[in-house]
Amino acid sequence: MRSIGELAERAGATVKTVRFYSDQGLLPEAARSSGGHRRYGPHALEQLQLIRSLRTLDLPLPEIRRILEDEDAAGHALENAVDSRLRELGSELKALRWREAALQLVRDCPPAQRAGRLRLLGTLNTPPSTAPLARFWRTWLPPRMPRLATAAFLEVAVPQPPDEPHPSQALAFAQLHAMTTAPCPGDRQPQPEVHRAAGAGGAALLYAGLVEAFELAARHLRRARDPHPGEALDAYVAAYASAYRSRDTPDFRRLLDARLSADPRLDRYWELTAVVLTPPGGSPQPTPGSADDWLRAALQRDNAGAA
C-alpha cells in the first residue's frame, strides 16, 4: 500500500493531481489509514500513469472514465475516444490553416486595401461554411425541383473548402461567399429564362442531363481539347430537349443556341470556383461553368457546320 505522497512521487505527479483524479473517481483509493489518510493499492501506479498518458493526448475526463471502465479486451472505448479526438483535431487544424491563410492575405495586400479585405474575410467562419453557396443555388434552380435532382446538382456546383488553403484559394472563397450572399440586383429574376421555361416538371430532367453532359465535357477540358460536336454535346442538347418535351433536331439546336446566353454573375462564380478547386501551380479544374462554356461553343460550332 502506498500513501498519496508516495504514489505521486513514483508517478512524477503532484499530490494535488493524484487527489484530483481520486476525487473524480478515476483513481479509487484502496483504504484509509488510521489517521484518515488515503492509501493506494499495487495497481494504482499503473492506472495513474495511464490516466496521465490519456490526458497528454488531451482526452476529456468522461472519455478517460469510459476507457478505464471498459472491460473489452479489444479496447474499443480507447479506439473510439482516439478516433473522436482525431476528428476534432482535424477540424481544429483546418480552422487554423484558414486563419493562417486569412492573416497572410491581410499582411500581403497593399495598406490601402486592408480595411476592405478585413471586412471581406471577417464574414467567413473558419473553416468556412458552404451553406451560403448552397442557398444561392437553391434560389437559382427552378422552384419545386425534386430533392434528389437538387442534391445531385449542388454536389457538383458547390466547391468544398480545401483543408490546407493557399491564400489565393481563401480569397476566392471569401469572394464567393460575398457574391452569393449579396442581394440580387434590381428586379432581376434569379433564374435564367431558359431554365424557368422548362417549368418544375422539366427541371429534374434538365439538371440531371446537364450534370451528365458537364461530366463528359470535363474530360475534354482536362485534355485541353477544343469544343467539338460529339457525345458531350449530344447529352447537353438532349437534356434541354427532354425538359422542353422536344426532339433533338437541327432546328432545335439553332433555337437552343439562340436562347442560351452567358450570365456575368455566374461566369464570376465559376471563375472563383476554379480558383478554390485548383491547387497552386496546378492545372485549372473543370467546373460546371467551364463545361457549359465548352458545350455552348461546341453547339455554336455544330450549328455553323450544319448551316
Side-chain angles (χ1 to χ4, degrees), residues 135-153:
R135 284 195 296 269
F136 167 82
W137 281 111
R138 290 182 188 279
T139 303
W140 176 271
L141 294 171
R144 298 181 301 280
M145 183 167 161
R147 183 180 301 176
L148 290 178
T150 299
F153 188 81

Side-chain angles (χ1 to χ4, degrees), residues 3 55 77 101 111-112 121 138 140 142 153 197 203 214 245 266 277 284 288 307:
S3 68
R55 286 298 295 149
L121 296 170
R138 290 182 188 279
W140 176 271
F153 188 81
F214 292 162
R245 294 180 173 82
L266 278 191
L277 295 176

Side-chain angles (χ1 to χ4, degrees), residues 226-247:
D226 291 335
H228 60 271
E231 183 183 10
L233 178 59
D234 291 345
Y236 185 67
V237 175
Y240 282 100
S242 297
Y244 294 133
R245 294 180 173 82
S246 183
R247 292 185 302 110

Side-chain angles (χ1 to χ4, degrees), residues 31-44:
R32 291 267 179 163
S33 68
S34 58
H37 299 294
R38 306 178 197 225
R39 307 291 291 178
Y40 295 90
H43 300 297

Side-chain angles (χ1 to χ4, degrees), residues 13-306:
T14 65
V15 170
K16 182 179 179 180
T17 297
V18 177
R19 184 178 294 113
F20 173 75
Y21 290 142
S22 291
D23 292 342
Q24 294 296 315
L26 300 177
L27 190 66
E29 57 198 56
R32 291 267 179 163
S33 68
S34 58
H37 299 294
R38 306 178 197 225
R39 307 291 291 178
Y40 295 90
H43 300 297
L45 177 60
E46 181 180 351
Q47 184 147 329
L48 177 57
Q49 290 171 333
L50 174 59
I51 293 169
R52 298 188 70 207
S53 296
L54 294 172
R55 286 298 295 149
T56 300
L57 297 175
D58 202 26
L59 294 181
L61 294 182
E63 292 289 351
I64 293 176
R65 180 175 288 105
R66 278 191 283 271
I67 292 168
L68 296 176
E69 294 172 352
D70 185 18
E71 297 179 356
D72 186 351
H76 288 152
L78 176 58
E79 288 183 9
N80 293 337
V82 170
D83 287 343
S84 176
R85 186 60 187 136
L86 283 172
R87 287 192 295 271
E88 292 173 2
L89 282 175
S91 297
E92 292 170 12
L93 287 171
K94 185 175 180 179
L96 287 172
R97 292 183 185 115
W98 274 87
R99 289 173 191 161
E100 179 184 32
L103 288 169
Q104 290 172 340
L105 285 169
V106 174
R107 179 196 64 191
D108 296 340
C109 76
Q113 299 177 14
R114 282 180 183 157
R117 184 155 293 183
L118 279 170
R119 285 193 297 271
L120 177 68
L121 296 170
T123 62
L124 283 182
N125 296 323
T126 51
S129 169
T130 58
L133 279 63
R135 284 195 296 269
F136 167 82
W137 281 111
R138 290 182 188 279
T139 303
W140 176 271
L141 294 171
R144 298 181 301 280
M145 183 167 161
R147 183 180 301 176
L148 290 178
T150 299
F153 188 81
L154 291 179
E155 186 174 350
V156 298
V158 176
Q160 294 302 310
D163 289 343
E164 300 183 22
H166 184 270
S168 62
Q169 293 173 298
L171 179 60
F173 199 94
Q175 291 169 328
L176 270 178
H177 179 275
M179 189 192 84
T180 55
T181 54
C184 195
D187 297 329
R188 181 179 172 187
Q189 292 289 332
Q191 297 91 13
E193 174 59 32
V194 70
H195 292 177
R196 292 199 303 275
L205 292 173
L206 174 61
Y207 279 90
L210 288 180
V211 169
E212 178 187 357
F214 292 162
E215 290 174 351
L216 293 170
R219 299 175 189 173
H220 298 299
L221 285 165
R222 292 188 183 96
R223 295 176 173 84
R225 292 177 177 171
D226 291 335
H228 60 271
E231 183 183 10
L233 178 59
D234 291 345
Y236 185 67
V237 175
Y240 282 100
S242 297
Y244 294 133
R245 294 180 173 82
S246 183
R247 292 185 302 110
D248 180 0
T249 65
D251 285 343
F252 179 80
R253 292 195 173 205
R254 284 190 289 272
L255 176 64
L256 180 62
D257 185 20
R259 297 185 72 173
L260 292 174
S261 61
D263 185 294
R265 195 178 187 204
L266 278 191
D267 288 345
R268 179 60 174 160
Y269 180 97
W270 296 124
E271 177 186 332
L272 293 171
T273 296
V275 176
V276 172
L277 295 176
T278 304
S283 300
Q285 293 298 304
T287 67
S290 60
D292 191 69
D293 289 343
W294 190 95
L295 289 162
R296 282 193 285 115
L299 178 61
Q300 292 169 359
R301 177 171 293 186
D302 184 53
N303 285 334

